[in-house]
Amino acid sequence: MTAIRTAGRTTARTATWTNWAGDRTSHPTSVVRPRDEEEVVRAVRTATERGLTVRAVGSGHSFSDLVCTDGVMIDLSHMNRVLSVDEHHVTLQAGITLRELGPRNAEYGLSLENQGDIDAQTMAGALATATHGTGRAFGNLSSRVVGMRLVTADGTVRQLDRTTTPELLRAARVSLGALGIVTEVTVACVPAFALRRVDRPRPLDDVLAELDQLVDTHDHFEFFIWPYTRTAMTRTSTRTDDTPSPTPLWKRRLREEFTENTVLGALCRVGRRFPSLVPTVNATVARSMSESRVEDVAHRVYATTRKVKFTESEYAIPRRHCAEALTACLDLVERRHLAILFPFEVRFTASDDAYLSTAEGRETCYIAAHQYQGMDADPFFRAFEDVMATYGGRPHWGKRHTRTASDLRPLYPHWDDFAERRTELDPTGTFGNAHTRRVLGTHDEVVTR
Ligand SMILES: Cc1cc2nc3c(=O)[nH]c(=O)nc-3n(C[C@H](O)[C@H](O)[C@H](O)COP(=O)(O)OP(=O)(O)OC[C@H]3O[C@@H](n4cnc5c(N)ncnc54)[C@H](O)[C@@H]3O)c2cc1C
């Protein structure tokens, strides 16, 4: 869905790049699509010699200006192979998408430990922003990385692993693309398993009253709540080693394609045209929710279809604040009569230790706010951010936020450790752009801090 229009792999003609949501555009000097690590090295060296900056792009599923550049854009979509499997450690080229990886892993009887709710992202792209799923016992995707290969600004290839370069790896696991180009990743996978997912509407008050129990007693628990309603759609997934009895495809299609995309899309268009009807539209959505079940191998259950376009902001807060923070979010929409047609999504993960992981050092609750495409998101997202800030919220690196390095530094105990590794690996800011300078600081600030 991401459009990259360019005349060829090494063209110097201006290309236009647009993200999935269609609201972020960039005009890189050139787009390079290497086929192997050597070509990545050559592209980075050439850019450095010409004094150009470099940004890697994955599947373009970030909602922010993270990949935008007027320098060289490196697209690793041709580097999408599984390279080796050693017991449960899988080494892959960084441009593989999670969708491509699922069936490849299954051939070896393996699975990713956990996933988010789509699988269009590339491995490197998902890691760079600390992409996560839900499940109290599971960290985000980057927590499973045990090794990486990284091309740095002078074209040197660094092999990072947990034994010989533990600190560099802690920095590179969640890097915002600011340390270099990741060419290979080794991920600790788990034996393949199946998931039984149950979606069930429940009164929000009941969900909040039983929240700890729901999160603690299920492998994966999350819920969605539409503003102006009090019915949450809960989603509970249970892991099993039994052979799954896959839900018929037509049944999933009917629900996901028709109800969750076609019908939702039509209702959203009505709400966008007549904003005063938004509470009625949301109430209609809440009333139409019903229980459903899906069972299949894990990678086919985690991934859902998202055809209705939206933009998103998401914050990670300490888990204990979940109920209070969510209540404040619903209040702010309803008090200000904001026209918000999409639900808040609430998920949970274990803490982990990548320097810039949004779950670093704390059990985390993620609250995501969405706005339908073509509707003004800024006032809502700004108010949402203010609420999240009161709970020590850390913004998702791939989603919309207005925070700067000075706001973020106090929220990350290892901020300066990351900054030092950034200076070491990218001393001249080759892998920066305006967005990374805002959220991570400029290179001068990093060096002199
Ligand atoms: C519909 C939808 C659903 C989503 N669901 C979830 C979800 O469930 N959970 C969640 O946490 N997030 C979710 N996201 C956000 C998404 O997972 C992140 O934004 C992710 O980073 C996108 O991956 P990508 O491959 O598209 O990377 P891009 O958006 O293209 O790039 C992201 C970052 O990765 C860097 N990068 C890419 N490749 C490399 C490389 N080879 N070397 C170094 N840096 C690299 C880029 O420079 C950039 O900084 C969702 C987004 C959408 C649009």
Side-chain angles (χ1 to χ4, degrees):
M1 270 172 267
T2 301
I4 296 184
R5 295 191 293 278
T6 176
R9 278 202 288 144
T10 53
T11 180
R13 272 214 270 139
T14 302
T16 301
W17 172 89
T18 309
N19 69 344
W20 173 85
D23 58 2
R24 293 288 174 267
T25 299
S26 159
H27 301 283
T29 304
S30 62
V31 179
V32 183
R33 296 191 180 85
R35 294 192 173 269
D36 56 31
E37 192 176 77
E38 252 178 65
E39 288 190 16
V40 175
V41 168
R42 216 174 304 136
V44 170
R45 282 211 176 112
T46 307
T48 309
E49 280 159 21
R50 292 170 62 198
L52 294 169
T53 54
V54 179
R55 289 296 285 162
V57 63
S59 300
H61 275 58
S62 294
F63 295 95
S64 64
D65 290 327
L66 202 50
V67 302
C68 295
T69 182
D70 54 8
V72 176
M73 186 175 267
I74 299 196
D75 167 1
L76 270 71
S77 51
H78 294 317
M79 291 177 61
N80 63 348
R81 285 183 302 124
V82 171
L83 298 172
S84 65
V85 178
D86 178 10
E87 305 240 332
H88 59 286
H89 284 172
V90 180
T91 299
L92 24 98
Q93 289 184 307
I96 194 168
T97 61
L98 305 187
R99 188 173 303 155
E100 291 165 331
L101 178 59
R104 296 302 316 280
N105 256 346
E107 288 169 21
Y108 298 98
L110 295 171
S111 178
L112 286 173
E113 186 195 53
N114 195 10
Q115 282 183 235
D117 53 20
I118 59 157
D119 58 7
Q121 309 94 326
T122 59
M123 178 55 75
L127 295 176
T129 62
T131 291
H132 63 91
T134 193
R136 164 201 61 87
F138 308 108
N140 64 43
L141 196 55
S142 75
S143 68
R144 304 294 295 174
V145 171
V146 298
M148 276 182 160
R149 282 171 73 85
L150 187 72
V151 176
T152 57
D154 62 359
T156 306
V157 181
R158 304 288 298 260
Q159 172 78 50
L160 312 182
D161 62 58
R162 289 198 171 201
T163 318
T164 58
T165 53
E167 274 142 24
L168 285 176
L169 189 65
R170 277 178 82 183
R173 274 159 47 204
V174 179
S175 72
L176 285 72
L179 302 184
I181 307 296
V182 178
T183 55
E184 287 179 22
V185 182
T186 302
V187 188
C189 293
V190 297
F193 60 97
L195 278 179
R196 291 199 185 109
R197 191 180 86 199
V198 180
D199 289 357
R200 181 177 293 141
R202 293 195 58 194
L204 176 66
D205 291 343
D206 293 358
V207 173
L208 295 183
E210 293 167 30
L211 196 56
D212 278 335
Q213 191 238 329
L214 288 165
V215 176
D216 289 336
T217 58
H218 292 106
D219 294 323
H220 306 276
F221 174 75
E222 67 178 298
F223 64 98
F224 301 85
I225 175 76
W226 272 257
Y228 306 103
T229 78
R230 284 295 171 269
T231 308
M233 177 54 102
T234 62
R235 172 163 287 179
T236 308
S237 299
T238 307
R239 300 159 86 96
T240 165
D241 295 330
D242 298 347
T243 309
S245 317
T247 308
L249 201 57
W250 68 265
K251 241 183 172 175
R252 278 195 77 170
R253 287 239 166 96
L254 180 67
R255 187 168 184 98
E256 286 182 13
E257 301 274 326
F258 184 68
T259 315
E260 293 174 14
N261 285 290
T262 311
V263 175
L264 180 65
L267 286 170
C268 284
R269 284 193 295 279
V270 172
R272 183 171 61 193
R273 181 108 203 264
F274 305 104
S276 62
L277 291 184
V278 165
T280 313
V281 169
N282 289 3
T284 307
V285 172
R287 266 199 309 275
S288 69
M289 294 190 301
S290 60
E291 183 166 321
S292 72
R293 287 161 192 268
V294 173
E295 177 175 336
D296 209 334
V297 292
H299 67 267
R300 288 207 287 264
V301 177
Y302 286 126
T304 53
T305 312
R306 297 290 171 88
K307 288 191 175 159
V308 182
K309 293 279 174 97
F310 57 87
T311 186
E312 180 173 343
S313 178
E314 183 178 51
Y315 268 77
I317 58 173
R319 180 182 146 181
R320 65 183 181 282
H321 298 312
C322 174
E324 190 183 310
L326 179 69
T327 305
C329 291
L330 290 165
D331 267 9
L332 95 84
V333 174
E334 292 165 15
R335 238 181 320 106
R336 295 181 187 205
H337 307 291
L338 298 176
I340 306 302
L341 288 155
F342 264 65
F344 288 103
E345 183 178 12
V346 184
R347 292 181 277 184
F348 306 87
T349 66
S351 79
D352 68 76
D353 68 350
Y355 291 148
L356 292 192
S357 167
T358 44
E360 200 280 328
R362 61 193 203 191
E363 261 195 89
T364 291
C365 160
Y366 288 92
I367 300 185
H370 310 81
Q371 178 59 299
Y372 181 48
Q373 67 172 1
M375 296 179 79
D376 188 10
D378 290 343
F380 171 41
F381 285 174
R382 268 199 300 273
F384 170 67
E385 287 195 299
D386 290 345
V387 172
M388 292 294 114
T390 61
Y391 298 99
R394 298 168 176 166
H396 188 303
W397 294 114
K399 303 189 180 178
R400 298 258 303 263
H401 72 94
T402 61
R403 300 294 179 225
T404 63
S406 52
D407 302 323
L408 296 169
R409 186 173 176 231
L411 298 170
Y412 286 90
H414 292 284
W415 184 268
D416 290 351
D417 295 315
F418 181 87
E420 272 175 38
R421 303 302 168 302
R422 184 174 170 217
T423 305
E424 175 186 341
L425 294 170
D426 183 24
T428 53
T430 297
F431 298 104
N433 65 3
H435 186 82
T436 60
R437 286 189 286 278
R438 168 167 72 81
V439 304
L440 296 177
T442 65
H443 248 68
D444 291 347
E445 280 166 353
V446 170
V447 173
T448 57
R449 185 175 274 134

